[in-house]
């Protein structure tokens, strides 16, 4: 799986804004590399990413979406960092190539929302960027239970049942989970 590095576009090529800057924000959204956004059939995470991306764009934010090849979402600049959808779900090399390409392509974002797997949790910590990492499963189901969640990253775990918990939050940020409805 070869990352495509020539797809730098979408967020204007200027450095992220200073804290407290007025809206709209430049938001980088990262979907997993396995299924296009929106999904052609079943794709739970991809449906969540599509809905969130559309809503943020509708609210006037500039959204760049890094997603699987074949993705297309009105209102967002879709960036494909892989040349094709990986052959096998969960392939580590493809997952890392996608993640590394995504963080490179989104380096000018004000904030990144990462919906990928375990490699996304690690890359978010190493990126030095403001990141909301969304774990769409139990973190122990990703087999990294014994590893402390990265500091400096806002991490949220969302289970299919709707149960949600905060995994980590940067110092000085109070987070409260508010149930939908």
């Amino acid at each position: 799986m070869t990352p495509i590095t020539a797809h730098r576009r979408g967020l204007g090529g200027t450095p992220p804004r200073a804290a407290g800057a007025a809206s709209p924000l430049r938001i980088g959204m990262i979907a997993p590399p396995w299924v296009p956004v929106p999904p052609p059939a079943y794709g739970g995470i991809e449906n969540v990413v599509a809905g969130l991306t559309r809503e943020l764009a509708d609210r006037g934010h500039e959204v760049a979406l890094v997603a699987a090849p074949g993705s297309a979402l009105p209102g967002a600049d879709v960036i494909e960092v892989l040349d094709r959808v990986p052959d096998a779900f969960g392939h580590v090399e493809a997952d890392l190539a996608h993640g590394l390409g995504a963080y490179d392509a989104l380096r000018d974002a004000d904030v990144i929302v990462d919906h990928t797997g375990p490699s996304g949790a690690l890359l978010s910590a190493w990126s030095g960027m403001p990141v909301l990492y969304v774990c769409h499963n139990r973190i122990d189901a990703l087999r990294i239970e014994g590893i402390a969640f990265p500091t400096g990253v806002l991490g949220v775990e969302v289970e299919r049942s709707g149960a949600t918990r905060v995994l980590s939050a940067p110092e000085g940020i109070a987070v409260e989970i508010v149930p939908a409805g």
Side-chain angles (χ1 to χ4, degrees):
M1 196 58 41
T2 306
I4 299 172
T5 56
H7 285 241
R8 289 279 307 141
R9 54 177 209 259
L11 294 173
T14 58
R17 284 174 253 203
S23 291
L25 292 173
R26 294 176 298 176
I27 301 170
M29 189 76 60
I30 307 175
W34 322 112
V35 177
V37 176
Y42 174 79
I45 295 170
E46 292 76 15
N47 276 322
V48 169
V49 170
L52 181 56
T53 300
R54 277 194 290 270
E55 183 64 28
L56 290 167
D58 287 349
R59 291 179 180 226
H61 298 290
E62 185 180 350
V63 184
L65 169 64
V66 177
S71 298
L73 199 61
D77 178 31
V78 178
I79 302 168
E80 298 174 357
V81 297
L82 298 179
D83 56 357
R84 60 186 168 83
V85 173
D87 295 330
F89 181 83
H91 189 269
V92 174
E93 182 182 327
D95 193 35
L96 283 172
H98 178 75
L100 289 167
Y103 277 90
D104 180 57
L106 299 174
R107 68 179 169 262
D108 296 330
D110 295 316
V111 64
I112 291 175
V113 183
D114 188 335
H115 296 267
T116 61
S119 63
L122 297 173
L123 290 172
S124 66
W126 294 330
S127 72
M129 304 166 89
V131 177
L132 167 60
Y133 174 75
V134 182
C135 178
H136 287 268
N137 204 332
R138 291 188 48 83
I139 201 74
D140 56 329
L142 299 176
R143 299 194 172 105
I144 58 173
E145 182 177 12
I147 299 173
F149 198 81
T151 58
V153 174
L154 177 57
V156 179
E157 174 183 272
V158 182
E159 293 184 50
R160 286 190 174 115
S161 67
T164 306
R165 71 179 171 134
V166 175
L167 299 171
S168 69
E171 187 176 332
I173 296 180
V175 179
E176 179 181 346
I177 299 294
V178 179

